[in-house]
Amino acid sequence: EGQLVESGGGLVQPGGSLTLSCVASGFSFGDSVMSWLRVRPGKGYEWVGSIDSSGTRPRYVDATTTRFTISRDNAKNTLYLQLNSLKYEDTATYYCAKGGLYGLHMIDFRGQGTQVTVSS
């Protein structure tokens, strides 16, 4: 099993933006579907979206499609999640994960997470 290390979280005001990064090691990142998950306060894991190995086809949970963007740089073994127009309800711990093309049931493993807090 490989390793995933997220970064880029923090405190942001409503309407603001953040870019989360996830550096992968110990497995063939460029051949792997990758995804982002989140856990909001008092809730379980939610699948945010995924991206195919080539980075040409991201998929998203419907509600976040227009505000979040998933991308990857295979040369840097890095996955990204661009968060725009952030809302209070986006406060969560965000995790990157290997697998998860269509949802949580396809996850192989995840990182330790990075906290995003949306507050004024």
Side-chain angles (χ1 to χ4, degrees):
E1 184 171 291
Q3 186 176 20
L4 299 168
V5 179
E6 302 92 338
S7 63
L11 177 64
V12 61
Q13 293 186 339
S17 298
L18 278 176
T19 299
L20 308 183
S21 300
C22 170
V23 178
S25 61
F27 67 98
S28 183
F29 177 79
D31 293 327
S32 301
V33 169
M34 299 296 295
S35 58
W36 286 97
L37 320 175
R38 69 181 181 182
V39 178
R40 294 188 281 179
K43 307 224 180 240
Y45 280 96
E46 297 176 78
W47 181 79
V48 174
S50 68
I51 191 164
D52 65 314
S53 59
S54 67
T56 57
R57 187 173 178 181
R59 295 175 171 86
Y60 303 94
V61 166
D62 288 345
T64 62
T65 297
T66 61
R67 298 189 296 117
F68 293 177
T69 302
I70 297 174
S71 62
R72 66 192 295 163
D73 185 338
N74 287 346
K76 296 182 178 179
N77 277 11
T78 302
L79 177 72
Y80 302 99
L81 178 63
Q82 174 72 39
L83 308 170
N84 296 318
S85 302
L86 283 162
K87 304 177 179 180
Y88 292 113
E89 54 263 41
D90 294 319
T91 294
T93 302
Y94 286 76
Y95 301 87
C96 69
K98 180 180 180 293
L101 182 62
Y102 297 116
L104 294 175
H105 62 288
M106 301 177 76
I107 296 296
D108 292 330
F109 61 90
R110 60 165 175 79
Q112 293 301 305
T114 186
Q115 177 68 36
V116 172
T117 302
V118 184
S119 176
S120 56

